[in-house]
Amino acid sequence: MTSPIVSPGGDADVPPPGEATVEAVQAWLGPMDEDAEVLADTVAAVNSLIVTWRGPRPETGWPAHVVRGLNMLAARLIRRRNSPAGVEAAGELGPLYVQRNDPDVAMLLGLGTYTRPAVG
């Protein structure tokens, strides 16, 4: 059983090695009215996508920081689904857009500028 993951700002337990789970993404997002099938499909897609980025999943599962990044990425994709034009909210100063890149997710997954240098 996976340990609970709470929303940012709370006391979050470090997830055990493995992969993203529907329960962890739901805990990260908090109360929501998302279709369970869409959430499960998004989690499956994220777990599949990481293999193309990092190679085969280790037998022991992904390390805790990668699992956290996978859960955060799945939650971000679910949130993005609710803002098809990229607008998160409309405020006093105009629309607030969903950020194009999430540096926290990139850091946890080792993407972009956080990729380890490699030779060959």
PDB file of all heavy atoms in Angstrom, residues 1-8 19-43 67-68 70-79:
ATOM      1  N   MET A   1       0.850  -1.187   0.000  1.00  0.00           N
ATOM      2  CA  MET A   1       0.000   0.000   0.000  1.00  0.00           C
ATOM      3  C   MET A   1       0.887   1.239   0.000  1.00  0.00           C
ATOM      4  O   MET A   1       1.881   1.297   0.709  1.00  0.00           O
ATOM      5  CB  MET A   1      -0.903  -0.035   1.227  1.00  0.00           C
ATOM      6  CG  MET A   1      -1.817   1.139   1.312  1.00  0.00           C
ATOM      7  SD  MET A   1      -3.081   0.795   2.553  1.00  0.00           S
ATOM      8  CE  MET A   1      -4.047   2.225   2.351  1.00  0.00           C
ATOM      9  N   THR A   2       0.514   2.232  -0.753  1.00  0.00           N
ATOM     10  CA  THR A   2       1.322   3.445  -0.845  1.00  0.00           C
ATOM     11  C   THR A   2       0.987   4.385   0.287  1.00  0.00           C
ATOM     12  O   THR A   2      -0.119   4.394   0.813  1.00  0.00           O
ATOM     13  CB  THR A   2       1.075   4.179  -2.177  1.00  0.00           C
ATOM     14  OG1 THR A   2      -0.296   4.532  -2.256  1.00  0.00           O
ATOM     15  CG2 THR A   2       1.464   3.306  -3.353  1.00  0.00           C
ATOM     16  N   SER A   3       1.975   5.191   0.679  1.00  0.00           N
ATOM     17  CA  SER A   3       1.721   6.183   1.711  1.00  0.00           C
ATOM     18  C   SER A   3       0.979   7.354   1.104  1.00  0.00           C
ATOM     19  O   SER A   3       1.106   7.639  -0.079  1.00  0.00           O
ATOM     20  CB  SER A   3       3.045   6.637   2.339  1.00  0.00           C
ATOM     21  OG  SER A   3       3.869   7.191   1.348  1.00  0.00           O
ATOM     22  N   PRO A   4       0.179   8.059   1.896  1.00  0.00           N
ATOM     23  CA  PRO A   4      -0.605   9.165   1.340  1.00  0.00           C
ATOM     24  C   PRO A   4       0.271  10.330   0.934  1.00  0.00           C
ATOM     25  O   PRO A   4       1.306  10.575   1.532  1.00  0.00           O
ATOM     26  CB  PRO A   4      -1.530   9.549   2.500  1.00  0.00           C
ATOM     27  CG  PRO A   4      -0.819   9.083   3.723  1.00  0.00           C
ATOM     28  CD  PRO A   4      -0.029   7.876   3.318  1.00  0.00           C
ATOM     29  N   ILE A   5      -0.165  11.029  -0.086  1.00  0.00           N
ATOM     30  CA  ILE A   5       0.511  12.234  -0.535  1.00  0.00           C
ATOM     31  C   ILE A   5      -0.500  13.353  -0.408  1.00  0.00           C
ATOM     32  O   ILE A   5      -1.589  13.267  -0.945  1.00  0.00           O
ATOM     33  CB  ILE A   5       0.989  12.108  -1.987  1.00  0.00           C
ATOM     34  CG1 ILE A   5       1.991  10.965  -2.095  1.00  0.00           C
ATOM     35  CG2 ILE A   5       1.605  13.406  -2.469  1.00  0.00           C
ATOM     36  CD1 ILE A   5       2.435  10.681  -3.502  1.00  0.00           C
ATOM     37  N   VAL A   6      -0.144  14.384   0.324  1.00  0.00           N
ATOM     38  CA  VAL A   6      -1.063  15.490   0.519  1.00  0.00           C
ATOM     39  C   VAL A   6      -0.686  16.636  -0.392  1.00  0.00           C
ATOM     40  O   VAL A   6       0.368  16.646  -1.000  1.00  0.00           O
ATOM     41  CB  VAL A   6      -1.104  15.952   1.992  1.00  0.00           C
ATOM     42  CG1 VAL A   6      -1.627  14.839   2.881  1.00  0.00           C
ATOM     43  CG2 VAL A   6       0.258  16.391   2.463  1.00  0.00           C
ATOM     44  N   SER A   7      -1.558  17.618  -0.469  1.00  0.00           N
ATOM     45  CA  SER A   7      -1.333  18.746  -1.363  1.00  0.00           C
ATOM     46  C   SER A   7      -0.103  19.540  -0.956  1.00  0.00           C
ATOM     47  O   SER A   7       0.340  19.465   0.187  1.00  0.00           O
ATOM     48  CB  SER A   7      -2.567  19.642  -1.364  1.00  0.00           C
ATOM     49  OG  SER A   7      -2.797  20.143  -0.068  1.00  0.00           O
ATOM     50  N   PRO A   8       0.473  20.304  -1.892  1.00  0.00           N
ATOM     51  CA  PRO A   8       1.655  21.101  -1.589  1.00  0.00           C
ATOM     52  C   PRO A   8       1.396  22.011  -0.396  1.00  0.00           C
ATOM     53  O   PRO A   8       0.321  22.539  -0.233  1.00  0.00           O
ATOM     54  CB  PRO A   8       1.890  21.909  -2.862  1.00  0.00           C
ATOM     55  CG  PRO A   8       1.189  21.170  -3.932  1.00  0.00           C
ATOM     56  CD  PRO A   8       0.033  20.474  -3.261  1.00  0.00           C
ATOM     57  N   GLU A  19       5.529   3.427  -8.916  1.00  0.00           N
ATOM     58  CA  GLU A  19       5.086   4.243 -10.028  1.00  0.00           C
ATOM     59  C   GLU A  19       3.908   5.082  -9.566  1.00  0.00           C
ATOM     60  O   GLU A  19       3.435   4.944  -8.446  1.00  0.00           O
ATOM     61  CB  GLU A  19       4.722   3.368 -11.225  1.00  0.00           C
ATOM     62  CG  GLU A  19       3.638   2.367 -10.956  1.00  0.00           C
ATOM     63  CD  GLU A  19       3.413   1.429 -12.130  1.00  0.00           C
ATOM     64  OE1 GLU A  19       4.279   1.340 -13.016  1.00  0.00           O
ATOM     65  OE2 GLU A  19       2.365   0.794 -12.154  1.00  0.00           O
ATOM     66  N   ALA A  20       3.444   5.985 -10.426  1.00  0.00           N
ATOM     67  CA  ALA A  20       2.313   6.841 -10.075  1.00  0.00           C
ATOM     68  C   ALA A  20       1.069   5.984  -9.860  1.00  0.00           C
ATOM     69  O   ALA A  20       0.893   4.956 -10.507  1.00  0.00           O
ATOM     70  CB  ALA A  20       2.060   7.853 -11.189  1.00  0.00           C
ATOM     71  N   THR A  21       0.209   6.418  -8.930  1.00  0.00           N
ATOM     72  CA  THR A  21      -1.037   5.708  -8.665  1.00  0.00           C
ATOM     73  C   THR A  21      -2.203   6.687  -8.688  1.00  0.00           C
ATOM     74  O   THR A  21      -2.028   7.885  -8.442  1.00  0.00           O
ATOM     75  CB  THR A  21      -1.016   5.021  -7.283  1.00  0.00           C
ATOM     76  OG1 THR A  21      -0.905   6.015  -6.268  1.00  0.00           O
ATOM     77  CG2 THR A  21       0.129   4.023  -7.170  1.00  0.00           C
ATOM     78  N   VAL A  22      -3.372   6.165  -8.970  1.00  0.00           N
ATOM     79  CA  VAL A  22      -4.579   6.986  -8.986  1.00  0.00           C
ATOM     80  C   VAL A  22      -4.808   7.598  -7.611  1.00  0.00           C
ATOM     81  O   VAL A  22      -5.134   8.783  -7.490  1.00  0.00           O
ATOM     82  CB  VAL A  22      -5.797   6.145  -9.432  1.00  0.00           C
ATOM     83  CG1 VAL A  22      -7.091   6.911  -9.245  1.00  0.00           C
ATOM     84  CG2 VAL A  22      -5.637   5.704 -10.872  1.00  0.00           C
ATOM     85  N   GLU A  23      -4.618   6.817  -6.560  1.00  0.00           N
ATOM     86  CA  GLU A  23      -4.846   7.299  -5.201  1.00  0.00           C
ATOM     87  C   GLU A  23      -3.921   8.461  -4.851  1.00  0.00           C
ATOM     88  O   GLU A  23      -4.349   9.438  -4.242  1.00  0.00           O
ATOM     89  CB  GLU A  23      -4.648   6.162  -4.176  1.00  0.00           C
ATOM     90  CG  GLU A  23      -5.626   5.030  -4.319  1.00  0.00           C
ATOM     91  CD  GLU A  23      -5.269   4.042  -5.438  1.00  0.00           C
ATOM     92  OE1 GLU A  23      -4.108   4.034  -5.916  1.00  0.00           O
ATOM     93  OE2 GLU A  23      -6.176   3.307  -5.853  1.00  0.00           O
ATOM     94  N   ALA A  24      -2.647   8.357  -5.255  1.00  0.00           N
ATOM     95  CA  ALA A  24      -1.690   9.424  -4.953  1.00  0.00           C
ATOM     96  C   ALA A  24      -2.030  10.698  -5.711  1.00  0.00           C
ATOM     97  O   ALA A  24      -1.923  11.804  -5.170  1.00  0.00           O
ATOM     98  CB  ALA A  24      -0.273   8.961  -5.287  1.00  0.00           C
ATOM     99  N   VAL A  25      -2.463  10.566  -6.959  1.00  0.00           N
ATOM    100  CA  VAL A  25      -2.838  11.744  -7.744  1.00  0.00           C
ATOM    101  C   VAL A  25      -4.088  12.387  -7.167  1.00  0.00           C
ATOM    102  O   VAL A  25      -4.175  13.613  -7.046  1.00  0.00           O
ATOM    103  CB  VAL A  25      -3.019  11.381  -9.242  1.00  0.00           C
ATOM    104  CG1 VAL A  25      -3.540  12.564 -10.034  1.00  0.00           C
ATOM    105  CG2 VAL A  25      -1.704  10.885  -9.825  1.00  0.00           C
ATOM    106  N   GLN A  26      -5.064  11.589  -6.763  1.00  0.00           N
ATOM    107  CA  GLN A  26      -6.271  12.130  -6.143  1.00  0.00           C
ATOM    108  C   GLN A  26      -5.934  12.875  -4.857  1.00  0.00           C
ATOM    109  O   GLN A  26      -6.473  13.945  -4.592  1.00  0.00           O
ATOM    110  CB  GLN A  26      -7.271  11.015  -5.836  1.00  0.00           C
ATOM    111  CG  GLN A  26      -8.011  10.527  -7.041  1.00  0.00           C
ATOM    112  CD  GLN A  26      -8.940   9.363  -6.724  1.00  0.00           C
ATOM    113  OE1 GLN A  26      -8.648   8.538  -5.874  1.00  0.00           O
ATOM    114  NE2 GLN A  26     -10.050   9.308  -7.436  1.00  0.00           N
ATOM    115  N   ALA A  27      -5.019  12.313  -4.061  1.00  0.00           N
ATOM    116  CA  ALA A  27      -4.616  12.976  -2.821  1.00  0.00           C
ATOM    117  C   ALA A  27      -3.906  14.292  -3.112  1.00  0.00           C
ATOM    118  O   ALA A  27      -4.084  15.277  -2.400  1.00  0.00           O
ATOM    119  CB  ALA A  27      -3.718  12.049  -1.998  1.00  0.00           C
ATOM    120  N   TRP A  28      -3.094  14.315  -4.171  1.00  0.00           N
ATOM    121  CA  TRP A  28      -2.365  15.531  -4.540  1.00  0.00           C
ATOM    122  C   TRP A  28      -3.320  16.628  -5.001  1.00  0.00           C
ATOM    123  O   TRP A  28      -3.156  17.789  -4.665  1.00  0.00           O
ATOM    124  CB  TRP A  28      -1.355  15.215  -5.635  1.00  0.00           C
ATOM    125  CG  TRP A  28      -0.453  16.361  -5.954  1.00  0.00           C
ATOM    126  CD1 TRP A  28      -0.593  17.251  -6.965  1.00  0.00           C
ATOM    127  CD2 TRP A  28       0.712  16.762  -5.244  1.00  0.00           C
ATOM    128  NE1 TRP A  28       0.419  18.165  -6.944  1.00  0.00           N
ATOM    129  CE2 TRP A  28       1.236  17.889  -5.888  1.00  0.00           C
ATOM    130  CE3 TRP A  28       1.371  16.267  -4.125  1.00  0.00           C
ATOM    131  CZ2 TRP A  28       2.380  18.536  -5.447  1.00  0.00           C
ATOM    132  CZ3 TRP A  28       2.516  16.917  -3.699  1.00  0.00           C
ATOM    133  CH2 TRP A  28       3.009  18.027  -4.358  1.00  0.00           C
ATOM    134  N   LEU A  29      -4.335  16.245  -5.774  1.00  0.00           N
ATOM    135  CA  LEU A  29      -5.285  17.215  -6.301  1.00  0.00           C
ATOM    136  C   LEU A  29      -6.292  17.686  -5.265  1.00  0.00           C
ATOM    137  O   LEU A  29      -6.831  18.780  -5.385  1.00  0.00           O
ATOM    138  CB  LEU A  29      -6.045  16.613  -7.492  1.00  0.00           C
ATOM    139  CG  LEU A  29      -5.262  16.433  -8.776  1.00  0.00           C
ATOM    140  CD1 LEU A  29      -6.056  15.616  -9.763  1.00  0.00           C
ATOM    141  CD2 LEU A  29      -4.896  17.777  -9.362  1.00  0.00           C
ATOM    142  N   GLY A  30      -6.590  16.867  -4.283  1.00  0.00           N
ATOM    143  CA  GLY A  30      -7.631  17.203  -3.313  1.00  0.00           C
ATOM    144  C   GLY A  30      -8.995  16.874  -3.886  1.00  0.00           C
ATOM    145  O   GLY A  30      -9.111  16.178  -4.895  1.00  0.00           O
ATOM    146  N   PRO A  31     -10.052  17.361  -3.250  1.00  0.00           N
ATOM    147  CA  PRO A  31     -11.402  17.054  -3.725  1.00  0.00           C
ATOM    148  C   PRO A  31     -11.596  17.507  -5.174  1.00  0.00           C
ATOM    149  O   PRO A  31     -11.222  18.614  -5.541  1.00  0.00           O
ATOM    150  CB  PRO A  31     -12.309  17.862  -2.797  1.00  0.00           C
ATOM    151  CG  PRO A  31     -11.472  18.181  -1.615  1.00  0.00           C
ATOM    152  CD  PRO A  31     -10.053  18.217  -2.080  1.00  0.00           C
ATOM    153  N   MET A  32     -12.166  16.620  -5.974  1.00  0.00           N
ATOM    154  CA  MET A  32     -12.378  16.940  -7.375  1.00  0.00           C
ATOM    155  C   MET A  32     -13.523  16.108  -7.924  1.00  0.00           C
ATOM    156  O   MET A  32     -13.913  15.115  -7.348  1.00  0.00           O
ATOM    157  CB  MET A  32     -11.114  16.698  -8.186  1.00  0.00           C
ATOM    158  CG  MET A  32     -10.632  15.279  -8.130  1.00  0.00           C
ATOM    159  SD  MET A  32      -9.154  15.086  -9.087  1.00  0.00           S
ATOM    160  CE  MET A  32      -9.157  13.328  -9.227  1.00  0.00           C
ATOM    161  N   ASP A  33     -14.031  16.516  -9.057  1.00  0.00           N
ATOM    162  CA  ASP A  33     -15.138  15.825  -9.705  1.00  0.00           C
ATOM    163  C   ASP A  33     -14.699  15.172 -11.003  1.00  0.00           C
ATOM    164  O   ASP A  33     -15.432  15.159 -11.979  1.00  0.00           O
ATOM    165  CB  ASP A  33     -16.284  16.815  -9.993  1.00  0.00           C
ATOM    166  CG  ASP A  33     -16.886  17.381  -8.732  1.00  0.00           C
ATOM    167  OD1 ASP A  33     -16.926  16.657  -7.726  1.00  0.00           O
ATOM    168  OD2 ASP A  33     -17.315  18.543  -8.748  1.00  0.00           O
ATOM    169  N   GLU A  34     -13.493  14.651 -11.034  1.00  0.00           N
ATOM    170  CA  GLU A  34     -12.977  14.041 -12.256  1.00  0.00           C
ATOM    171  C   GLU A  34     -13.531  12.632 -12.438  1.00  0.00           C
ATOM    172  O   GLU A  34     -13.776  11.917 -11.476  1.00  0.00           O
ATOM    173  CB  GLU A  34     -11.447  13.975 -12.228  1.00  0.00           C
ATOM    174  CG  GLU A  34     -10.776  15.318 -12.345  1.00  0.00           C
ATOM    175  CD  GLU A  34     -11.091  16.038 -13.633  1.00  0.00           C
ATOM    176  OE1 GLU A  34     -11.298  15.394 -14.677  1.00  0.00           O
ATOM    177  OE2 GLU A  34     -11.148  17.270 -13.598  1.00  0.00           O
ATOM    178  N   ASP A  35     -13.697  12.242 -13.669  1.00  0.00           N
ATOM    179  CA  ASP A  35     -14.103  10.897 -14.023  1.00  0.00           C
ATOM    180  C   ASP A  35     -12.974   9.937 -13.650  1.00  0.00           C
ATOM    181  O   ASP A  35     -11.821  10.145 -14.030  1.00  0.00           O
ATOM    182  CB  ASP A  35     -14.388  10.867 -15.529  1.00  0.00           C
ATOM    183  CG  ASP A  35     -14.848   9.516 -16.027  1.00  0.00           C
ATOM    184  OD1 ASP A  35     -15.123   8.635 -15.193  1.00  0.00           O
ATOM    185  OD2 ASP A  35     -14.946   9.364 -17.254  1.00  0.00           O
ATOM    186  N   ALA A  36     -13.296   8.877 -12.918  1.00  0.00           N
ATOM    187  CA  ALA A  36     -12.283   7.923 -12.465  1.00  0.00           C
ATOM    188  C   ALA A  36     -11.557   7.271 -13.635  1.00  0.00           C
ATOM    189  O   ALA A  36     -10.353   7.006 -13.558  1.00  0.00           O
ATOM    190  CB  ALA A  36     -12.926   6.865 -11.574  1.00  0.00           C
ATOM    191  N   GLU A  37     -12.250   7.037 -14.738  1.00  0.00           N
ATOM    192  CA  GLU A  37     -11.632   6.414 -15.898  1.00  0.00           C
ATOM    193  C   GLU A  37     -10.603   7.346 -16.535  1.00  0.00           C
ATOM    194  O   GLU A  37      -9.525   6.913 -16.934  1.00  0.00           O
ATOM    195  CB  GLU A  37     -12.705   6.039 -16.922  1.00  0.00           C
ATOM    196  CG  GLU A  37     -12.172   5.255 -18.094  1.00  0.00           C
ATOM    197  CD  GLU A  37     -13.272   4.824 -19.047  1.00  0.00           C
ATOM    198  OE1 GLU A  37     -14.380   4.492 -18.581  1.00  0.00           O
ATOM    199  OE2 GLU A  37     -13.008   4.834 -20.268  1.00  0.00           O
ATOM    200  N   VAL A  38     -10.919   8.624 -16.620  1.00  0.00           N
ATOM    201  CA  VAL A  38      -9.979   9.601 -17.182  1.00  0.00           C
ATOM    202  C   VAL A  38      -8.743   9.701 -16.293  1.00  0.00           C
ATOM    203  O   VAL A  38      -7.609   9.738 -16.788  1.00  0.00           O
ATOM    204  CB  VAL A  38     -10.652  10.988 -17.336  1.00  0.00           C
ATOM    205  CG1 VAL A  38      -9.632  12.048 -17.698  1.00  0.00           C
ATOM    206  CG2 VAL A  38     -11.750  10.922 -18.374  1.00  0.00           C
ATOM    207  N   LEU A  39      -8.950   9.701 -14.996  1.00  0.00           N
ATOM    208  CA  LEU A  39      -7.827   9.764 -14.065  1.00  0.00           C
ATOM    209  C   LEU A  39      -6.949   8.524 -14.204  1.00  0.00           C
ATOM    210  O   LEU A  39      -5.721   8.629 -14.272  1.00  0.00           O
ATOM    211  CB  LEU A  39      -8.346   9.911 -12.632  1.00  0.00           C
ATOM    212  CG  LEU A  39      -7.315  10.115 -11.544  1.00  0.00           C
ATOM    213  CD1 LEU A  39      -6.470  11.344 -11.813  1.00  0.00           C
ATOM    214  CD2 LEU A  39      -7.995  10.239 -10.201  1.00  0.00           C
ATOM    215  N   ALA A  40      -7.547   7.352 -14.273  1.00  0.00           N
ATOM    216  CA  ALA A  40      -6.785   6.111 -14.425  1.00  0.00           C
ATOM    217  C   ALA A  40      -6.019   6.093 -15.748  1.00  0.00           C
ATOM    218  O   ALA A  40      -4.864   5.664 -15.802  1.00  0.00           O
ATOM    219  CB  ALA A  40      -7.714   4.910 -14.325  1.00  0.00           C
ATOM    220  N   ASP A  41      -6.647   6.576 -16.827  1.00  0.00           N
ATOM    221  CA  ASP A  41      -5.972   6.640 -18.128  1.00  0.00           C
ATOM    222  C   ASP A  41      -4.782   7.596 -18.090  1.00  0.00           C
ATOM    223  O   ASP A  41      -3.733   7.319 -18.669  1.00  0.00           O
ATOM    224  CB  ASP A  41      -6.943   7.093 -19.228  1.00  0.00           C
ATOM    225  CG  ASP A  41      -7.952   6.018 -19.611  1.00  0.00           C
ATOM    226  OD1 ASP A  41      -7.761   4.849 -19.216  1.00  0.00           O
ATOM    227  OD2 ASP A  41      -8.931   6.364 -20.288  1.00  0.00           O
ATOM    228  N   THR A  42      -4.939   8.719 -17.413  1.00  0.00           N
ATOM    229  CA  THR A  42      -3.852   9.698 -17.318  1.00  0.00           C
ATOM    230  C   THR A  42      -2.679   9.126 -16.535  1.00  0.00           C
ATOM    231  O   THR A  42      -1.522   9.277 -16.930  1.00  0.00           O
ATOM    232  CB  THR A  42      -4.357  10.994 -16.658  1.00  0.00           C
ATOM    233  OG1 THR A  42      -5.446  11.504 -17.427  1.00  0.00           O
ATOM    234  CG2 THR A  42      -3.258  12.037 -16.575  1.00  0.00           C
ATOM    235  N   VAL A  43      -2.962   8.453 -15.428  1.00  0.00           N
ATOM    236  CA  VAL A  43      -1.900   7.831 -14.622  1.00  0.00           C
ATOM    237  C   VAL A  43      -1.183   6.755 -15.446  1.00  0.00           C
ATOM    238  O   VAL A  43       0.050   6.684 -15.446  1.00  0.00           O
ATOM    239  CB  VAL A  43      -2.477   7.254 -13.311  1.00  0.00           C
ATOM    240  CG1 VAL A  43      -1.453   6.380 -12.601  1.00  0.00           C
ATOM    241  CG2 VAL A  43      -2.931   8.388 -12.397  1.00  0.00           C
ATOM    242  N   VAL A  67       8.728   8.960  -8.503  1.00  0.00           N
ATOM    243  CA  VAL A  67       7.308   8.678  -8.239  1.00  0.00           C
ATOM    244  C   VAL A  67       6.577   9.977  -7.917  1.00  0.00           C
ATOM    245  O   VAL A  67       5.478  10.228  -8.425  1.00  0.00           O
ATOM    246  CB  VAL A  67       7.149   7.651  -7.102  1.00  0.00           C
ATOM    247  CG1 VAL A  67       5.682   7.476  -6.739  1.00  0.00           C
ATOM    248  CG2 VAL A  67       7.754   6.315  -7.495  1.00  0.00           C
ATOM    249  N   ARG A  68       7.202  10.835  -7.098  1.00  0.00           N
ATOM    250  CA  ARG A  68       6.573  12.126  -6.781  1.00  0.00           C
ATOM    251  C   ARG A  68       6.387  12.951  -8.051  1.00  0.00           C
ATOM    252  O   ARG A  68       5.342  13.535  -8.291  1.00  0.00           O
ATOM    253  CB  ARG A  68       7.427  12.881  -5.762  1.00  0.00           C
ATOM    254  CG  ARG A  68       6.952  14.290  -5.409  1.00  0.00           C
ATOM    255  CD  ARG A  68       5.520  14.359  -4.870  1.00  0.00           C
ATOM    256  NE  ARG A  68       5.322  13.531  -3.737  1.00  0.00           N
ATOM    257  CZ  ARG A  68       5.490  13.883  -2.463  1.00  0.00           C
ATOM    258  NH1 ARG A  68       5.857  15.093  -2.174  1.00  0.00           N
ATOM    259  NH2 ARG A  68       5.284  13.030  -1.500  1.00  0.00           N
ATOM    260  N   LEU A  70       6.105  11.845 -11.122  1.00  0.00           N
ATOM    261  CA  LEU A  70       5.059  11.227 -11.935  1.00  0.00           C
ATOM    262  C   LEU A  70       3.673  11.593 -11.430  1.00  0.00           C
ATOM    263  O   LEU A  70       2.771  11.912 -12.215  1.00  0.00           O
ATOM    264  CB  LEU A  70       5.227   9.705 -11.937  1.00  0.00           C
ATOM    265  CG  LEU A  70       6.441   9.160 -12.677  1.00  0.00           C
ATOM    266  CD1 LEU A  70       6.601   7.664 -12.414  1.00  0.00           C
ATOM    267  CD2 LEU A  70       6.338   9.441 -14.158  1.00  0.00           C
ATOM    268  N   ASN A  71       3.489  11.552 -10.125  1.00  0.00           N
ATOM    269  CA  ASN A  71       2.193  11.926  -9.553  1.00  0.00           C
ATOM    270  C   ASN A  71       1.876  13.396  -9.819  1.00  0.00           C
ATOM    271  O   ASN A  71       0.745  13.752 -10.148  1.00  0.00           O
ATOM    272  CB  ASN A  71       2.161  11.625  -8.051  1.00  0.00           C
ATOM    273  CG  ASN A  71       2.098  10.142  -7.766  1.00  0.00           C
ATOM    274  OD1 ASN A  71       1.420   9.392  -8.452  1.00  0.00           O
ATOM    275  ND2 ASN A  71       2.824   9.708  -6.755  1.00  0.00           N
ATOM    276  N   MET A  72       2.888  14.256  -9.689  1.00  0.00           N
ATOM    277  CA  MET A  72       2.684  15.678  -9.950  1.00  0.00           C
ATOM    278  C   MET A  72       2.367  15.931 -11.425  1.00  0.00           C
ATOM    279  O   MET A  72       1.506  16.754 -11.749  1.00  0.00           O
ATOM    280  CB  MET A  72       3.933  16.476  -9.539  1.00  0.00           C
ATOM    281  CG  MET A  72       4.136  16.559  -8.044  1.00  0.00           C
ATOM    282  SD  MET A  72       5.723  17.306  -7.587  1.00  0.00           S
ATOM    283  CE  MET A  72       5.509  18.975  -8.188  1.00  0.00           C
ATOM    284  N   LEU A  73       3.046  15.215 -12.323  1.00  0.00           N
ATOM    285  CA  LEU A  73       2.794  15.372 -13.750  1.00  0.00           C
ATOM    286  C   LEU A  73       1.374  14.920 -14.098  1.00  0.00           C
ATOM    287  O   LEU A  73       0.663  15.606 -14.844  1.00  0.00           O
ATOM    288  CB  LEU A  73       3.819  14.589 -14.562  1.00  0.00           C
ATOM    289  CG  LEU A  73       3.653  14.631 -16.080  1.00  0.00           C
ATOM    290  CD1 LEU A  73       3.701  16.067 -16.598  1.00  0.00           C
ATOM    291  CD2 LEU A  73       4.720  13.782 -16.748  1.00  0.00           C
ATOM    292  N   ALA A  74       0.942  13.790 -13.550  1.00  0.00           N
ATOM    293  CA  ALA A  74      -0.419  13.310 -13.811  1.00  0.00           C
ATOM    294  C   ALA A  74      -1.444  14.317 -13.284  1.00  0.00           C
ATOM    295  O   ALA A  74      -2.432  14.624 -13.962  1.00  0.00           O
ATOM    296  CB  ALA A  74      -0.631  11.944 -13.170  1.00  0.00           C
ATOM    297  N   ALA A  75      -1.201  14.869 -12.100  1.00  0.00           N
ATOM    298  CA  ALA A  75      -2.120  15.868 -11.537  1.00  0.00           C
ATOM    299  C   ALA A  75      -2.153  17.119 -12.408  1.00  0.00           C
ATOM    300  O   ALA A  75      -3.214  17.702 -12.641  1.00  0.00           O
ATOM    301  CB  ALA A  75      -1.691  16.226 -10.117  1.00  0.00           C
ATOM    302  N   ARG A  76      -0.999  17.515 -12.925  1.00  0.00           N
ATOM    303  CA  ARG A  76      -0.935  18.699 -13.789  1.00  0.00           C
ATOM    304  C   ARG A  76      -1.711  18.468 -15.085  1.00  0.00           C
ATOM    305  O   ARG A  76      -2.401  19.352 -15.573  1.00  0.00           O
ATOM    306  CB  ARG A  76       0.522  19.025 -14.093  1.00  0.00           C
ATOM    307  CG  ARG A  76       0.717  20.303 -14.863  1.00  0.00           C
ATOM    308  CD  ARG A  76       2.210  20.602 -14.976  1.00  0.00           C
ATOM    309  NE  ARG A  76       2.440  21.912 -15.506  1.00  0.00           N
ATOM    310  CZ  ARG A  76       2.330  22.225 -16.789  1.00  0.00           C
ATOM    311  NH1 ARG A  76       1.982  21.327 -17.657  1.00  0.00           N
ATOM    312  NH2 ARG A  76       2.580  23.455 -17.187  1.00  0.00           N
ATOM    313  N   LEU A  77      -1.597  17.275 -15.644  1.00  0.00           N
ATOM    314  CA  LEU A  77      -2.329  16.960 -16.866  1.00  0.00           C
ATOM    315  C   LEU A  77      -3.838  16.961 -16.619  1.00  0.00           C
ATOM    316  O   LEU A  77      -4.609  17.415 -17.472  1.00  0.00           O
ATOM    317  CB  LEU A  77      -1.890  15.605 -17.423  1.00  0.00           C
ATOM    318  CG  LEU A  77      -0.473  15.558 -17.987  1.00  0.00           C
ATOM    319  CD1 LEU A  77      -0.086  14.132 -18.339  1.00  0.00           C
ATOM    320  CD2 LEU A  77      -0.331  16.477 -19.181  1.00  0.00           C
ATOM    321  N   ILE A  78      -4.262  16.475 -15.467  1.00  0.00           N
ATOM    322  CA  ILE A  78      -5.686  16.500 -15.123  1.00  0.00           C
ATOM    323  C   ILE A  78      -6.158  17.947 -14.985  1.00  0.00           C
ATOM    324  O   ILE A  78      -7.215  18.321 -15.494  1.00  0.00           O
ATOM    325  CB  ILE A  78      -5.956  15.699 -13.831  1.00  0.00           C
ATOM    326  CG1 ILE A  78      -5.762  14.203 -14.082  1.00  0.00           C
ATOM    327  CG2 ILE A  78      -7.339  15.983 -13.281  1.00  0.00           C
ATOM    328  CD1 ILE A  78      -6.777  13.585 -15.020  1.00  0.00           C
ATOM    329  N   ARG A  79      -5.379  18.777 -14.295  1.00  0.00           N
ATOM    330  CA  ARG A  79      -5.739  20.194 -14.163  1.00  0.00           C
ATOM    331  C   ARG A  79      -5.772  20.873 -15.522  1.00  0.00           C
ATOM    332  O   ARG A  79      -6.627  21.703 -15.801  1.00  0.00           O
ATOM    333  CB  ARG A  79      -4.744  20.921 -13.257  1.00  0.00           C
ATOM    334  CG  ARG A  79      -5.002  20.679 -11.807  1.00  0.00           C
ATOM    335  CD  ARG A  79      -4.138  21.542 -10.918  1.00  0.00           C
ATOM    336  NE  ARG A  79      -4.317  22.947 -11.218  1.00  0.00           N
ATOM    337  CZ  ARG A  79      -3.315  23.827 -11.252  1.00  0.00           C
ATOM    338  NH1 ARG A  79      -2.089  23.450 -11.015  1.00  0.00           N
ATOM    339  NH2 ARG A  79      -3.545  25.086 -11.512  1.00  0.00           N
TER     340      ARG A  79
END
